[in-house]
Amino acid sequence: MRLDATVGARRIVDLDPARAPEILGRHIGDAVRRHLESVDHEKRLEVVERFLDVLDSDGDDLAGGSVLQSIYPAGRNEPRRPSTPLSEGALLTNARDEPGLGNELALEMESADEVDLLCAFVKFTGVTVLAPQFKLLAEREITPRVLTTTYMGATDRRALDILVKDYGAQVKVRFEKASTRLHAKAWLFRRLSGFDTAYVGSSNLSRSALVDGLEWNVRLSSVVHAAQIAKFRTVFDSYWNMADFELYDPERDTDKLDRALEEAGGRKSNSVLVTLSGLEVRPFGHQQLMLDALATEREVFDRHRNLLVAATGTGKTVVAALDYRALSERADGKQPSLLFVAHRKEILVQAIHTYRAVLGDGSFGELFVGGERPRRWKHVFASVQSLDRDEHASDEWDVLVIDEFHHAEAASYRRLLSRFGASEVLGLTATPERADGVDVRELFDGRTAYELRLWDALEQDLLCPFHYYGISDNTDLRDVEWTAGQYSPGALSSLYTGNDARTLLILKALREKVLDPSRMKALGFCISVEHARYMAEAFTARGLPSAAIVGTTEPDARRRLVEQLKSGDLRCIFTVDVFNEGIDIPSVDVVLMLRPTASSTIFIQQLGRGLRRSPGKAVLTVLDFVGQHRAAFDLAGRFHAMTGLSRRRLEDDLDVGFPSLPGASRIVLDEVSRDEVLRSIKEAVKASSKSALAKDLRSLGAVPKLAEFLNETNRELDDIYRADRAWTTIVSIATGKPEPEGQEKKLLKRLQRLRTVDDLDRIREYTRVSEGILGGQTFARNDVWASMLIDYLLPSQPTPDFTQTVADLAEYPRLFEELVQLMEASTRNIRHVPLPLDGNLADLPLRSHASYTREELLSALDWRGKDGRPQGSREGVAWSEPHQTDIFFINLHKDERVFSPSTMYRDVPVSPTLFDWESQSNTSQSSGTGRRYLAQRETRTNVLLAVRNSPKDDVATAPFLLLGNADYDSHSGERPIRIRWKLRRPMPADVLSQASVLSI
């Protein structure tokens, strides 16, 4: 269709290089198809051959005009073909005159080399419909893989027993607990020929779904749906490797499955479903993040008093038990002495059961609470009160774990920490800020080893999803008194209290956004006592019984009002700060943000009051009433806290409605609120300008070191290093000196990509080299750390005389003075435990799980030309002859701004140790490069994987995280070859979470 140029506006963007082959190939394919349709049948092959000659591409020649249909073992019948050709897609609806789903699946199974099934439940009738095909698979020694769940108790155990016992299938079951997230129904048929097919739709494995139900299923083919089939393979394999899905053995697991099905189906079970069982206990993703953080604190920083912060219900006790198991393994199996402390017997009983399950030792531990007293005093689970009253307990332990800090008196815990010593101290809490004003972090040197972020918890389905509505309340706050970085509470109280127009707007929003306000259980956060009482009276007057709880409310009255909210006698409780933390009402399903909150921490605490799961609660509704704010008010901070997005991504996602929020959560802004958030994002950028930073620096008096400046001003390295500046630039402006110019400016600009250095070895060595240059020391190329640093600073300059190159750089002392300060500040970047590489790469200046620029990685592998200059590599691969090493540079998301199914499933992890990677598009299995990849284990060459989320970060070109050594595992296809590599060291949990295609 052609449009008149005057009809509308247009938007043209540059073609993204990562997507260009797909887009251009589609265009050429359409053009070729249209041309072939107009060409005489006899001449079509000739036209195609001329076209292929122009491409001059090996392996694309035609072999005449015939089509190979099948290859099968001699002496066997040719497998029947599905009604739909293997190269085409289809929509099957079990309608008249179209093939039935059951029949098509049966025919697909005849020619499949691998069969994978994912469905919420499996019925006996469904298995019997396909029994002949399952039997045929068994005869061909093909093992189907089945993933299913206990959803609604609908699965028939007998069906799973038959699949495993009679047909040799591998079945994994997800035992549903707090929620059900797997509703997928899909089949994948893999073929060695490359003609894979899949069915995705509404049909579980049951007779009605396969034969005569009103079911819709889409048939995919790898020929026309290559990206979708690739995603299916990757996601299924990822699910298969998840701890959530447990391998089902009928000889061992029938009782467990029966109990789970009874409970999921609402049928009363007389026994407790045990979900932890010895060696089977593995951490979930969010728990592995905590374990990784503890390892970093201990092994990198030598910190042995650590605090974990995570919401109730996220399995902190399991993390403590897994951590204890790891400590025992490092002590050669000798179990360290343990003192586990909590304030209630119920917590201690649950904890001792958890430790016993994780350790596989049913007699582990003794209770010290109430009337129970230990005999061996080796592994003790004690209440604070019992320890407080007993002076005979040992004062020295190997491991001290203190649970639920936020529930007990601070004085008790201070006495406990001063009395008991331990090699490892671990604190567990749901919130570090307590109602009595004490910050638990003070007991842990002011630090938190790890705090589970909101988006991580939502992604793991640990919290109730939320629907956030940003609603303009037409209140102009720009002239309200502003002191100490916030609005004056008194001025806001005067503005909001008695504001009937705003109250009517709030009530109108409730009616529009909440299904039935007369049945809601809501918390409203106000600016003052007067405001809270006014809102309670206003709601009650309009038929929504409400009350106010403030700091002066008596404890008995507070408990009574909370119970009334739980029972439904009250619809809303209005408060000021009382419910920010420490009081838990899981059934709260509406949160009203009735005051501007500059602190994103307080905002998340208030939001968190409604995020606990509760029976019958599907979603938390959050109504945030947004005024017109002054420029200094940081409205954008709360959206970063809710989504985890950077400022750059926030602005992009704001345009399209935050499409990547985890789970069922949503953020919806009206037009006025959206404009306010966008303005706040832009103001935040202004607040980090060169002049703003110089102003902050002048306010501190004497010029501090970079690390001190960051601590004093609560800034990040990303604020300092931008395209127009470095730390030296800011200091020059603040002290009235000329800004760097010429070559010095160019060299200082290179430091922006060293702001991501995150391993102590490199920090120490780059500091050593920098201080040496400042002191007039000479360096030779055989100093691998100096070599890597200089190659990075001068990536395009020949360095035939390395010593002279170093001498030339010494003419810029401010460069190396800043480098020393930057390295000191970079310790804040360390999130993982870096380790030397394996084998003959162990002496390289590289560490697995550390971040590097491309130039650093190539320099360390001696990938340079005769003139000493590191060879540039714009490709995603490089072969280092001196070290017999292939290194692969992998962008996990080719274009972070666009969801691109054609590119995003090419290079992805399927588990912590398995990584699917696609070779260059023209690499065949018979090529020299292809043979080297596939024979890697036999020839003992090295393979290194280096990954990054996307090519750019918020400041510059993003670094690569070096995952470390990998070995060949398996492969399929060619041109490109899809290779599965096995990492020798599991990738960090946060990288896996970022890179993984999983959503459950």
Side-chain angles (χ1 to χ4, degrees), residues 37 124 169 295 353 413 557 629 674 755:
E37 287 174 351
F124 172 74
H353 285 313
Y413 281 106
H629 291 284
R674 180 185 167 282
R755 79 192 193 286

Side-chain angles (χ1 to χ4, degrees), residues 531-599:
H531 183 212
R533 288 173 176 162
Y534 160 74
M535 291 302 303
E537 291 169 3
F539 266 48
T540 301
R542 289 167 177 81
L544 295 174
S546 302
I549 293 181
V550 297
T552 57
T553 305
E554 292 294 327
D556 287 344
R558 183 180 303 185
R559 283 191 290 271
R560 185 177 66 254
L561 292 173
V562 167
E563 287 304 317
Q564 288 178 344
L565 181 70
K566 291 178 179 178
S567 67
D569 293 334
L570 289 178
R571 290 293 148 218
C572 186
I573 289 177
F574 293 94
T575 186
V576 184
D577 291 320
V578 172
F579 285 93
N580 279 6
E581 57 80 24
I583 295 181
D584 197 30
I585 311 176
S587 56
V588 165
D589 55 11
V590 175
V591 169
L592 305 174
M593 305 291 192
L594 305 176
R595 49 164 290 180
T597 304
S599 166

Side-chain angles (χ1 to χ4, degrees), residues 902-924:
S902 64
T903 61
M904 69 182 301
Y905 300 105
R906 291 177 181 172
D907 307 316
V908 289
V910 296
S911 78
T913 56
L914 295 176
F915 199 103
D916 280 355
W917 174 82
E918 204 171 80
S919 72
Q920 303 298 98
S921 58
N922 279 323
T923 303
S924 67

Side-chain angles (χ1 to χ4, degrees), residues 898-962:
V898 178
F899 172 75
S900 175
S902 64
T903 61
M904 69 182 301
Y905 300 105
R906 291 177 181 172
D907 307 316
V908 289
V910 296
S911 78
T913 56
L914 295 176
F915 199 103
D916 280 355
W917 174 82
E918 204 171 80
S919 72
Q920 303 298 98
S921 58
N922 279 323
T923 303
S924 67
Q925 295 184 26
S926 60
S927 67
T929 300
R931 290 197 303 271
R932 186 176 71 242
Y933 292 162
L934 303 185
Q936 177 265 334
R937 283 186 180 270
E938 290 75 28
T939 58
R940 303 177 72 84
T941 59
N942 300 300
V943 168
L944 297 176
L945 303 188
V947 303
R948 62 184 175 189
N949 190 43
S950 59
K952 299 284 187 181
D953 60 22
D954 278 358
V955 176
T957 302
F960 291 92
L961 185 95
L962 185 60

Side-chain angles (χ1 to χ4, degrees), residues 14-32:
D14 293 335
L15 189 59
D16 173 48
R19 302 183 65 226
E22 181 76 19
I23 295 171
L24 295 175
R26 186 167 59 239
H27 176 75
I28 292 171
D30 289 343
V32 170

Side-chain angles (χ1 to χ4, degrees), residues 4-55:
D4 189 287
T6 62
V7 169
R10 66 179 182 175
R11 180 170 179 258
I12 299 175
V13 298
D14 293 335
L15 189 59
D16 173 48
R19 302 183 65 226
E22 181 76 19
I23 295 171
L24 295 175
R26 186 167 59 239
H27 176 75
I28 292 171
D30 289 343
V32 170
R33 178 182 50 77
R34 286 193 299 270
H35 181 71
L36 289 175
E37 287 174 351
S38 67
V39 173
D40 186 69
H41 170 69
E42 285 78 12
K43 295 183 178 180
R44 285 173 180 166
L45 286 178
E46 179 185 339
V47 170
V48 172
E49 286 170 349
R50 289 205 308 269
F51 179 76
L52 293 175
D53 285 342
V54 173
L55 294 180

Side-chain angles (χ1 to χ4, degrees), residues 142-154:
I142 292 173
T143 303
R145 296 190 300 174
V146 179
L147 289 173
T148 190
T149 75
T150 56
Y151 174 54
M152 294 180 65

